[in-house]
Amino acid sequence: MMATQNKSSDPVTEDYRDEVQEVLRENEQHAQPPVPAFTSVMKAIYQEPSLAAEQPIPFKRRVRSCGQLVRAQLNLLPRYIMLIEIVIAAGAVVISSVLHGARYGGLGLHILSNLLMLNMALTVILVFSVRDDRELMLSMPLGPQVVVATRLLLAFISNIVVGGAALLVATAINPVMRPLPAITQVIAPATLLANIVALLCIWQYSWVALLLGALAPLVRTLQDLGPSFLLPAWVDSAPSTTAAWAGIILLATGLLSAAIFTAPLAWHAQLADGDKNC
């Protein structure tokens, strides 16, 4: 009994116990690193921002995203849009070929330009009438402006190809019909009307755009048929001076810029109206 008590109170045993505790304490400190300071934590947070925050996108990734966006838009747009373009352009060629001659004068050229003007406006309306925002959601890193610009570019390219082919065929059938006057009579009014229609469609005024797209070529045709029709002279004629072309270009550029750069506001307004309806 006495031997046991002496052994437990032996100073050698006490020293050994202290050494063991010290070793265990060191092992624990090495196993669990110390808690970092608050400044270190904040620095790490600033270096790794949240995914919800707006972050710059590298240029190469933007270029790749644009290519993917174009492919998505092509897959999204219905094929009947191109079919309608071709049908209207073919009808314009046939009607202009019948009416262009000594008996009707230059009426065939006017009808051709007015129908191609209608074709351009209708193409833009159909392109923006697709009610599917999935491609807009997926391409939000690029911004709604890029989506709208891409869709407008596709509409213009398809209509330029179809309308250009119609002009070539019409001028080939009727040698009296010169290509340059035909182009000048089509390009200015068609571009202006298409940009106005695009702006209306972006702001969800599709019915107004459809009415304007149908009435503008009709009114222009009436002006061609009846010179006494009360319309301004510029409605019936193509720009003939440098100042007139400069004004047309500035106006078309302004309308196109308004359509593209107001797209985010229009999109947010559409979402707000959707939330109210819900």
Coordinates of all heavy atoms in Angstrom, one line a residue, residues 157-210:
I157 N -30.1 39.6 -93.0 CA -29.3 38.8 -94.0 C -30.3 38.0 -94.8 O -30.1 37.9 -96.1 CB -28.3 37.9 -93.2 CG1 -27.2 38.8 -92.6 CG2 -27.8 36.8 -94.1 CD1 -26.2 38.0 -91.8
S158 N -31.2 37.3 -94.2 CA -32.1 36.5 -95.0 C -32.9 37.3 -96.0 O -33.1 36.9 -97.1 CB -33.1 35.7 -94.0 OG -33.9 36.6 -93.3
N159 N -33.4 38.5 -95.5 CA -34.2 39.3 -96.4 C -33.3 39.9 -97.5 O -33.8 40.1 -98.7 CB -34.9 40.4 -95.6 CG -36.2 40.8 -96.3 OD1 -36.2 41.8 -97.1 ND2 -37.3 40.1 -96.0
I160 N -32.1 40.3 -97.2 CA -31.2 40.8 -98.3 C -30.9 39.8 -99.3 O -30.9 40.0 -100.5 CB -29.9 41.3 -97.6 CG1 -30.2 42.6 -96.9 CG2 -28.8 41.6 -98.7 CD1 -29.0 43.1 -96.0
V161 N -30.7 38.5 -98.9 CA -30.5 37.4 -99.8 C -31.7 37.2 -100.7 O -31.6 37.2 -102.0 CB -30.1 36.2 -99.1 CG1 -30.0 35.0 -100.1 CG2 -28.7 36.3 -98.4
V162 N -32.9 37.1 -100.1 CA -34.1 36.8 -100.9 C -34.4 38.0 -101.8 O -34.7 37.9 -103.0 CB -35.2 36.4 -100.0 CG1 -36.5 36.3 -100.7 CG2 -34.9 35.1 -99.2
G163 N -34.4 39.2 -101.2 CA -34.7 40.4 -101.9 C -33.7 40.7 -103.1 O -34.1 41.1 -104.2
G164 N -32.4 40.5 -102.8 CA -31.4 40.6 -103.8 C -31.6 39.7 -105.0 O -31.5 40.1 -106.2
A165 N -32.0 38.4 -104.7 CA -32.3 37.5 -105.7 C -33.5 37.9 -106.5 O -33.5 37.8 -107.8 CB -32.5 36.1 -105.1
A166 N -34.5 38.5 -105.9 CA -35.7 38.9 -106.6 C -35.4 40.1 -107.5 O -35.8 40.2 -108.6 CB -36.8 39.3 -105.6
L167 N -34.5 41.0 -107.0 CA -34.1 42.1 -107.9 C -33.3 41.7 -109.1 O -33.5 42.2 -110.2 CB -33.3 43.1 -107.1 CG -34.0 44.0 -106.1 CD1 -33.1 44.8 -105.2 CD2 -35.0 45.0 -106.8
L168 N -32.4 40.7 -108.9 CA -31.7 40.2 -110.0 C -32.6 39.5 -111.1 O -32.4 39.8 -112.3 CB -30.6 39.2 -109.5 CG -29.4 39.8 -108.7 CD1 -28.6 38.7 -108.2 CD2 -28.7 40.8 -109.6
V169 N -33.5 38.7 -110.6 CA -34.4 38.1 -111.5 C -35.3 39.1 -112.3 O -35.5 39.0 -113.5 CB -35.3 37.0 -110.8 CG1 -36.3 36.4 -111.7 CG2 -34.4 35.9 -110.2
A170 N -35.8 40.1 -111.5 CA -36.7 41.1 -112.1 C -36.0 41.9 -113.2 O -36.5 42.2 -114.2 CB -37.3 42.0 -111.0
T171 N -34.8 42.3 -112.9 CA -34.0 43.1 -113.8 C -33.5 42.3 -115.0 O -33.3 42.8 -116.1 CB -32.8 43.8 -113.1 OG1 -32.0 42.8 -112.5 CG2 -33.2 44.8 -112.1
A172 N -33.3 41.0 -114.8 CA -33.0 40.1 -115.9 C -34.1 39.9 -116.8 O -34.0 39.8 -118.1 CB -32.4 38.7 -115.4
I173 N -35.3 39.7 -116.3 CA -36.5 39.5 -117.1 C -36.9 40.8 -117.9 O -37.3 40.8 -119.0 CB -37.7 39.1 -116.2 CG1 -37.4 37.7 -115.6 CG2 -39.0 39.0 -117.0 CD1 -38.5 37.2 -114.7
N174 N -36.7 42.0 -117.2 CA -37.1 43.2 -117.8 C -35.8 44.1 -118.0 O -35.4 44.7 -117.0 CB -38.1 44.0 -116.9 CG -39.3 43.2 -116.7 OD1 -40.1 43.0 -117.6 ND2 -39.5 42.8 -115.4
P175 N -35.2 44.0 -119.1 CA -33.9 44.8 -119.3 C -34.1 46.3 -119.2 O -33.2 47.0 -118.8 CB -33.5 44.4 -120.8 CG -34.3 43.2 -121.1 CD -35.5 43.2 -120.3
V176 N -35.3 46.8 -119.4 CA -35.6 48.2 -119.2 C -35.4 48.6 -117.7 O -35.1 49.7 -117.4 CB -37.0 48.6 -119.7 CG1 -37.2 50.1 -119.6 CG2 -37.1 48.1 -121.2
M177 N -35.7 47.7 -116.8 CA -35.6 48.0 -115.4 C -34.2 47.9 -114.9 O -33.5 46.9 -115.0 CB -36.5 46.9 -114.6 CG -36.6 47.3 -113.1 SD -37.5 46.0 -112.2 CE -39.1 46.0 -113.0
R178 N -33.6 49.1 -114.6 CA -32.2 49.1 -114.2 C -32.0 48.7 -112.7 O -32.9 49.0 -111.9 CB -31.7 50.6 -114.3 CG -31.8 51.1 -115.7 CD -31.0 50.3 -116.7 NE -31.0 50.8 -118.1 CZ -30.4 50.3 -119.1 NH1 -29.7 49.2 -118.9 NH2 -30.5 50.8 -120.3
P179 N -31.0 48.0 -112.5 CA -30.8 47.5 -111.1 C -30.6 48.6 -110.1 O -31.1 48.5 -108.9 CB -29.5 46.6 -111.2 CG -29.4 46.3 -112.6 CD -30.0 47.4 -113.4
L180 N -29.8 49.6 -110.4 CA -29.5 50.7 -109.4 C -30.7 51.5 -109.0 O -30.9 51.6 -107.8 CB -28.4 51.7 -110.0 CG -27.9 52.7 -109.0 CD1 -27.3 52.0 -107.8 CD2 -26.9 53.6 -109.7
P181 N -31.6 51.9 -109.9 CA -32.8 52.6 -109.4 C -33.7 51.6 -108.6 O -34.4 52.1 -107.6 CB -33.6 53.0 -110.8 CG -32.5 53.1 -111.8 CD -31.5 52.0 -111.4
A182 N -33.7 50.4 -109.0 CA -34.5 49.4 -108.2 C -34.0 49.3 -106.8 O -34.7 49.3 -105.8 CB -34.5 48.0 -108.9
I183 N -32.7 49.2 -106.6 CA -32.0 49.1 -105.3 C -32.3 50.3 -104.5 O -32.7 50.3 -103.3 CB -30.5 48.8 -105.4 CG1 -30.3 47.4 -106.0 CG2 -29.9 48.9 -104.1 CD1 -28.9 47.1 -106.4
T184 N -32.2 51.5 -105.1 CA -32.3 52.8 -104.4 C -33.8 52.9 -103.9 O -34.1 53.5 -102.9 CB -31.9 54.0 -105.2 OG1 -32.6 54.0 -106.5 CG2 -30.4 54.0 -105.4
Q185 N -34.7 52.4 -104.7 CA -36.1 52.6 -104.3 C -36.5 51.6 -103.2 O -37.5 51.8 -102.5 CB -37.0 52.3 -105.5 CG -37.1 53.5 -106.5 CD -38.5 53.7 -107.1 OE1 -39.4 52.9 -106.9 NE2 -38.7 54.8 -107.7
V186 N -35.7 50.5 -103.1 CA -36.1 49.5 -102.1 C -35.3 49.7 -100.8 O -35.9 49.7 -99.7 CB -35.7 48.1 -102.6 CG1 -35.9 47.0 -101.5 CG2 -36.6 47.7 -103.8
I187 N -34.0 50.0 -100.8 CA -33.2 50.0 -99.7 C -33.5 51.0 -98.6 O -33.6 50.7 -97.4 CB -31.7 50.1 -100.1 CG1 -30.8 49.8 -98.8 CG2 -31.4 51.4 -100.7 CD1 -29.3 49.6 -99.2
A188 N -33.8 52.2 -99.0 CA -34.1 53.3 -98.1 C -35.4 53.1 -97.3 O -35.4 53.0 -96.1 CB -34.0 54.7 -98.7
P189 N -36.5 53.0 -98.0 CA -37.8 52.8 -97.2 C -37.9 51.5 -96.5 O -38.4 51.4 -95.4 CB -38.9 52.9 -98.3 CG -38.2 52.6 -99.6 CD -36.8 53.0 -99.4
A190 N -37.3 50.4 -97.1 CA -37.4 49.1 -96.4 C -36.6 49.1 -95.1 O -37.0 48.6 -94.1 CB -36.9 48.0 -97.4
T191 N -35.4 49.7 -95.2 CA -34.5 49.8 -94.0 C -35.2 50.6 -92.9 O -35.2 50.2 -91.7 CB -33.2 50.4 -94.3 OG1 -32.6 49.6 -95.3 CG2 -32.3 50.3 -93.1
L192 N -35.7 51.8 -93.2 CA -36.4 52.6 -92.2 C -37.6 51.9 -91.6 O -37.8 51.8 -90.4 CB -36.9 53.9 -92.9 CG -35.8 55.0 -93.1 CD1 -36.4 56.2 -93.8 CD2 -35.2 55.4 -91.8
L193 N -38.4 51.3 -92.5 CA -39.6 50.6 -92.0 C -39.2 49.4 -91.1 O -39.8 49.1 -90.1 CB -40.5 50.1 -93.1 CG -41.8 49.4 -92.8 CD1 -42.7 50.3 -92.0 CD2 -42.5 48.9 -94.0
A194 N -38.2 48.6 -91.5 CA -37.8 47.5 -90.7 C -37.3 47.9 -89.3 O -37.6 47.2 -88.3 CB -36.7 46.7 -91.5
N195 N -36.5 49.0 -89.2 CA -36.0 49.5 -87.9 C -37.2 50.0 -87.0 O -37.2 49.7 -85.8 CB -35.0 50.6 -88.1 CG -33.7 50.1 -88.8 OD1 -33.4 48.9 -88.7 ND2 -33.0 50.9 -89.4
I196 N -38.1 50.7 -87.6 CA -39.3 51.1 -86.8 C -40.1 49.9 -86.3 O -40.5 49.8 -85.1 CB -40.2 52.0 -87.7 CG1 -39.5 53.3 -88.0 CG2 -41.5 52.4 -86.9 CD1 -40.2 54.2 -89.0
V197 N -40.3 48.9 -87.2 CA -41.0 47.7 -86.8 C -40.3 47.0 -85.7 O -40.9 46.4 -84.8 CB -41.3 46.9 -88.1 CG1 -41.7 45.4 -87.7 CG2 -42.4 47.5 -88.9
A198 N -38.9 46.9 -85.8 CA -38.2 46.2 -84.8 C -38.3 46.8 -83.5 O -38.4 46.2 -82.4 CB -36.7 46.1 -85.3
L199 N -38.2 48.2 -83.4 CA -38.4 48.9 -82.2 C -39.8 48.6 -81.6 O -39.9 48.4 -80.3 CB -38.2 50.4 -82.4 CG -38.2 51.3 -81.2 CD1 -37.1 50.9 -80.2 CD2 -38.0 52.8 -81.6
L200 N -40.8 48.6 -82.4 CA -42.1 48.4 -81.9 C -42.3 47.0 -81.3 O -42.9 46.7 -80.3 CB -43.2 48.6 -83.0 CG -43.4 50.1 -83.4 CD1 -44.3 50.2 -84.6 CD2 -44.0 50.9 -82.3
C201 N -41.7 46.0 -82.0 CA -41.8 44.6 -81.6 C -41.0 44.4 -80.3 O -41.5 43.6 -79.4 CB -41.2 43.7 -82.7 SG -42.3 43.6 -84.2
I202 N -39.9 45.0 -80.1 CA -39.1 44.9 -78.9 C -39.9 45.4 -77.7 O -39.8 44.8 -76.6 CB -37.7 45.6 -79.1 CG1 -36.9 44.8 -80.0 CG2 -37.0 45.7 -77.7 CD1 -35.6 45.5 -80.4
W203 N -40.6 46.4 -77.9 CA -41.4 47.0 -76.8 C -42.8 46.4 -76.8 O -43.8 47.0 -76.2 CB -41.5 48.5 -77.0 CG -40.2 49.2 -76.5 CD1 -39.1 49.5 -77.2 CD2 -39.9 49.5 -75.1 NE1 -38.2 50.0 -76.4 CE2 -38.6 50.0 -75.1 CE3 -40.6 49.4 -73.9 CZ2 -38.0 50.5 -73.9 CZ3 -40.0 49.8 -72.7 CH2 -38.7 50.3 -72.7
Q204 N -43.0 45.3 -77.4 CA -44.3 44.5 -77.3 C -45.5 45.2 -78.0 O -46.6 45.1 -77.5 CB -44.6 44.2 -75.8 CG -43.5 43.5 -75.1 CD -43.1 42.2 -75.7 OE1 -44.0 41.4 -76.1 NE2 -41.8 41.9 -75.9
Y205 N -45.2 46.0 -79.0 CA -46.3 46.6 -79.8 C -46.4 45.9 -81.2 O -46.3 46.5 -82.2 CB -46.1 48.1 -80.0 CG -46.1 48.8 -78.7 CD1 -45.0 49.4 -78.1 CD2 -47.3 49.0 -78.0 CE1 -45.0 50.1 -76.9 CE2 -47.4 49.7 -76.8 CZ -46.2 50.2 -76.3 OH -46.3 50.9 -75.1
S206 N -46.5 44.6 -81.1 CA -46.5 43.8 -82.4 C -47.7 44.1 -83.3 O -47.5 44.1 -84.5 CB -46.5 42.3 -82.1 OG -45.3 42.0 -81.3
W207 N -48.8 44.4 -82.7 CA -50.0 44.7 -83.6 C -49.8 46.0 -84.3 O -50.2 46.2 -85.5 CB -51.3 44.7 -82.7 CG -51.7 43.4 -82.3 CD1 -51.7 42.8 -81.1 CD2 -52.3 42.4 -83.2 NE1 -52.2 41.5 -81.2 CE2 -52.6 41.2 -82.4 CE3 -52.7 42.4 -84.6 CZ2 -53.2 40.1 -83.0 CZ3 -53.3 41.2 -85.1 CH2 -53.5 40.1 -84.3
V208 N -49.2 47.0 -83.6 CA -49.0 48.3 -84.2 C -47.9 48.1 -85.3 O -48.0 48.7 -86.4 CB -48.5 49.3 -83.2 CG1 -48.2 50.6 -83.8 CG2 -49.5 49.5 -82.1
A209 N -46.9 47.3 -85.0 CA -45.9 47.0 -86.0 C -46.5 46.3 -87.3 O -46.1 46.7 -88.4 CB -44.8 46.1 -85.4
L210 N -47.4 45.4 -87.0 CA -48.0 44.7 -88.2 C -48.8 45.6 -89.0 O -48.8 45.6 -90.2 CB -48.8 43.5 -87.7 CG -49.5 42.6 -88.7 CD1 -48.5 42.0 -89.6 CD2 -50.4 41.6 -88.0

